[in-house]
Amino acid sequence: MPRSTRSASLAVVLTAAAVVLAGCGSSEDLAKVTYPRSTVPAAGAANTTGTTPNLPEGPVEPAFALDKLRAIDPCKLLDKEFLSQLGTPNEPTLGGYSKCSNYMKDKAGKKLSVSMTIGESLLGVKTNAEVAGLHAHVDGESIGKTCFVKAVTQGGKMPMGLTFQIGVDEGDACAPGRRIVEYVVERVRKQPPQRAAEPGTLATIEPCSLLDQAGRAEALGGETTERRNGLNECTWSASGMEVSVNLLLTSAGFGDTGDPVDVNGVKAKQRKKDTSVYPSCQIFWEHRKTAGNRAETVRVEMQNIKKANVDPCAKAIGAAKAMLPKLPKG
């Protein structure tokens, strides 16, 4: 569907999320490209009901396919040449596989913080603007001197998008925010910076492919529903119980606490919670070490919401064993 034909009068319901940014280079000088005009609501946008776009299942454009988004290095997405147009950039801060932030200064030496997340869930979000040719929700009023932008890149029942949080000391945070969003969207369309190829990485794995129908039936019983929570997490639900897998980029030693447990020869840890709300259990293990004292970690969780007569840890371990053969060698 051409961007020019997508109107803001389409209707349905979307998803929510927020946050994080990035930085690096490219062959074409995108910092000097003129971007498509953005229509951003004026003051009071946070209080408008608006409409939510009734977009078909899947990416709104081929460039926003989930496998392509997973391949992007978030901290190379905004290069210093571009950020220098807004002020003095700092070194970017990576947060997981798909998040990055830059806590920089504007041209007056005042705070300009930018955070971006690639592939954030936007379930329940109502759009009220168009930014860089994408349906978006823009909120510059809920929190003073902060602008939130959520641009829809994936339609259907489980919409997803690029989300931004821009903070300033003074002035309109959505002014630099709009430029940042336009720049990022155009880079994703034309020259997305690729993450380094690393054998065995979890970064590019489709999490919803890790538990097959037999594994879901064993863990939950009966017919299950699937819910995607960002690019690297997937949840399956049935009859008041949920099993989820989250592929994480953590600090080394993240999985040092917990009770030892064996998952088909893999040394894992177990954390069981018996709360008054409902019992749950996490099984997690370090998949591989990476640069910068980090590690790629797999976390499988079972939540016994309806308090059925089952052992959540046994169910989580069973699901982890079913997923293990589908993971790349670390």
Side-chain angles (χ1 to χ4, degrees):
M1 183 188 306
R3 296 196 302 274
S4 61
T5 60
R6 292 199 301 271
S7 72
S9 61
L10 301 170
V12 166
V13 183
L14 290 169
T15 333
V19 143
V20 200
L21 145 7
C24 216
S26 61
S27 56
E28 182 183 350
D29 191 357
L30 283 175
K32 299 178 181 177
V33 171
T34 300
Y35 302 114
R37 182 178 179 83
S38 297
T39 304
V40 179
N47 300 318
T48 62
T49 55
T51 57
T52 49
N54 185 13
L55 299 174
E57 200 73 40
V60 297
E61 300 171 28
F64 301 116
L66 297 183
D67 59 337
K68 292 183 178 180
L69 294 183
R70 287 192 196 95
I72 294 175
D73 185 328
C75 281
K76 292 181 180 177
L77 196 51
L78 275 179
D79 57 86
K80 286 190 175 181
E81 181 181 1
F82 171 73
L83 291 176
S84 295
Q85 297 180 25
L86 304 176
T88 305
N90 207 333
E91 290 302 313
T93 301
L94 181 66
Y97 293 119
S98 59
K99 298 181 180 181
C100 196
S101 300
N102 200 301
Y103 303 102
M104 55 182 286
K105 301 291 185 181
D106 65 15
K107 290 185 176 181
K110 304 290 186 178
K111 179 187 84 171
L112 174 56
S113 63
V114 187
S115 294
M116 178 199 68
T117 300
I118 303 173
E120 187 83 32
S121 171
L122 297 182
L123 189 60
V125 170
K126 290 188 175 183
T127 60
N128 59 3
E130 184 177 291
V131 181
L134 297 177
H135 291 286
H137 178 85
V138 178
D139 177 4
E141 292 200 332
S142 293
I143 300 178
K145 300 178 183 178
T146 304
C147 183
F148 299 93
V149 182
K150 302 169 186 178
V152 183
T153 59
Q154 187 89 5
K157 294 180 179 179
M158 295 292 167
M160 300 172 69
L162 299 168
T163 64
F164 302 80
Q165 178 177 318
I166 300 93
V168 296
D169 275 340
E170 55 186 37
D172 177 14
C174 287
R178 182 170 57 252
R179 291 184 64 186
I180 290 166
V181 176
E182 290 171 345
Y183 181 75
V184 167
V185 169
E186 209 61 18
R187 281 208 75 187
V188 172
R189 282 178 176 137
K190 294 181 178 180
Q191 297 173 332
Q194 303 296 288
R195 64 174 72 250
E198 298 181 58
T201 184
L202 299 174
T204 55
I205 299 299
E206 165 55 77
C208 291
S209 69
L210 294 177
L211 192 61
D212 59 21
Q213 191 59 48
R216 299 176 203 178
E218 176 65 25
L220 299 169
E223 188 172 339
T224 62
T225 59
E226 182 177 283
R227 182 174 77 252
R228 188 183 303 281
N229 307 306
L231 294 178
N232 307 104
E233 183 178 359
C234 193
T235 299
W236 298 272
S237 306
S239 304
M241 296 188 292
E242 290 188 347
V243 168
S244 63
V245 60
N246 199 346
L247 307 178
L248 303 163
L249 182 61
T250 66
S251 57
F254 170 83
D256 287 349
T257 59
D259 299 322
V261 63
D262 181 85
V263 179
N264 283 355
V266 173
K267 294 180 180 179
K269 292 294 179 70
Q270 169 182 298
R271 293 176 186 163
K272 186 175 183 179
K273 296 180 182 179
D274 289 310
T275 68
S276 59
V277 181
Y278 55 79
S280 65
C281 187
Q282 293 181 349
I283 307 296
F284 51 95
W285 65 92
E286 185 178 284
H287 176 71
R288 63 186 284 268
K289 294 187 184 300
T290 66
N293 198 35
R294 291 176 176 270
E296 294 190 285
T297 301
V298 181
R299 183 176 69 201
V300 178
E301 183 172 13
M302 197 280 181
Q303 295 184 325
N304 186 5
I305 300 168
K306 71 174 183 179
K307 300 182 180 180
N309 186 25
V310 298
D311 180 354
C313 286
K315 291 292 187 180
I317 291 172
K321 289 179 177 179
M323 295 178 194
L324 201 57
K326 297 187 177 183
L327 294 173
K329 300 298 181 183

